[in-house]
Amino acid sequence: MISQLNPSDFAAWRDRVAAGLAPTVLPVVLDVREPWEVQTASVREDGFSLLALPMREVPSRLAELKDMLGTDHPIACLCHHGMRSLQVANYLAQGGFAEVVNLQGGIDAWTQQVDPSVPRY
């Protein structure tokens, strides 16, 4: 079962998982929204790496993700309201990724709880 991470708790999760990584390696926020959505509203990298990969491309690029990150790399999945990202998080976990969480409520909740400067749409 995928952990649901409230955006207001993201910083604590980021800091906890980053403590177990090499100093130059950061946790990843995997934004699975469409490119137009990412252009409309996006999180700012702050102690994490941002990777935008539309949900529809994840299955064909799973091996690339494994090669790029490794299966132990912490990943927080993000979409608009948290449903697509939950599906991707489950897919990644089934594909062998060990540290995957879903940002519950998506970018919409992020705007309300973490950064009100991120536009809502």
Side-chain angles (χ1 to χ4, degrees):
M1 186 159 153
I2 297 299
S3 295
Q4 295 289 324
L5 183 63
N6 208 321
S8 61
D9 298 327
F10 174 78
W13 175 85
R14 176 201 62 208
D15 294 346
R16 179 184 58 80
V17 299
L21 298 173
T24 59
V25 178
L26 299 173
V28 169
V29 170
L30 178 62
D31 192 330
V32 301
R33 296 175 299 144
E34 292 297 315
W36 72 266
E37 292 178 284
V38 175
Q39 287 179 332
T40 301
S42 187
V43 297
R44 287 189 295 265
E45 291 179 315
D46 180 16
F48 61 90
S49 297
L50 180 62
L51 176 60
L53 181 63
M55 178 182 182
R56 62 184 153 71
E57 293 182 21
V58 171
S60 65
R61 296 180 65 186
L62 185 62
E64 179 185 338
L65 283 172
K66 287 181 178 180
D67 288 344
M68 181 183 357
L69 301 174
T71 56
D72 292 332
H73 200 100
I75 301 172
C77 295
L78 173 72
C79 69
H80 188 194
H81 288 113
M83 298 310 294
R84 286 176 283 176
S85 54
L86 179 58
Q87 291 177 353
V88 170
N90 278 312
Y91 183 81
L92 294 177
Q94 291 171 1
F97 286 85
E99 178 75 39
V100 182
V101 298
N102 182 50
L103 282 163
Q104 187 175 29
I107 192 97
D108 194 60
W110 185 279
T111 299
Q112 295 175 51
Q113 299 173 22
V114 177
D115 185 358
S117 72
V118 175
R120 292 183 76 189
Y121 66 99

